[in-house]
Amino acid sequence: MSLNSLPLSAPLSQDTLARLAAIIESRKPSQGGDPQTSYVSRLLHKGPDAFLKKIGEEATEVVMAAKDVDHGADPASLVYEVADLWFHSMIALAHYGLTPGDVLAELERREGTSGIEEKALRKADARAVQEASP
């Protein structure tokens, strides 16, 4: 599939994320994943530094693709790069025993909350924790 044929308004499917999470889980070295034959297993075998570095690289590519779209590039290139970022983020989630469902639950928790209010609440919570510690 070429970037130009990607549907830009395809609905998010929790099933797709769940299936991908299950595949990632099955590729963990502790589940028998082979670092010689599986990219996911190789990243997980190398440890957090490897997949966290990839997340940083992919985040940079998302920024670059977005800037390119601002200058007339095909928006599908941004979708492609975000997919890479999500994929590598899902590897991190799996490593830490988390799932896309955990992220979706957090997004649902935030739904209807102003981003400004959310940020102020986090700051207040952090201040309270800091004041409570000796």
Side-chain angles (χ1 to χ4, degrees):
M1 176 184 282
S2 75
L3 289 179
N4 292 333
S5 64
L6 288 173
L8 293 181
S9 60
L12 175 65
S13 169
Q14 290 183 30
D15 292 342
T16 301
L17 293 175
R19 284 192 308 274
L20 182 54
I23 291 168
I24 291 170
E25 189 68 29
S26 75
R27 304 276 167 85
K28 285 181 171 181
S30 63
Q31 300 295 323
D34 182 359
Q36 297 299 318
T37 60
S38 166
Y39 174 72
V40 170
S41 184
R42 186 176 315 139
L43 280 178
L44 290 168
H45 177 75
K46 288 181 178 180
D49 285 349
F51 58 78
L52 295 175
K53 179 180 177 186
K54 280 302 294 180
I55 291 170
E57 291 170 5
E58 298 301 340
T60 299
E61 290 175 13
V62 166
V63 171
M64 291 168 42
K67 293 285 192 179
D68 289 346
V69 170
D70 283 341
H71 293 92
D74 185 348
S77 62
L78 177 58
V79 172
Y80 183 90
E81 295 303 342
V82 170
D84 283 350
L85 177 60
W86 284 17
F87 174 75
H88 289 89
S89 296
M90 288 177 66
I91 293 172
L93 288 171
H95 174 79
Y96 295 108
L98 300 166
T99 69
D102 296 315
V103 177
L104 292 172
E106 175 60 17
L107 290 171
E108 287 173 8
R109 184 190 70 76
R110 294 180 188 185
E111 189 174 6
T113 303
S114 158
I116 293 170
E117 291 172 9
E118 174 73 18
K119 187 173 181 178
L121 182 59
R122 283 195 313 256
K123 284 183 178 181
D125 288 347
R127 225 179 359 261
V129 168
Q130 189 176 23
E131 292 170 359
S133 60

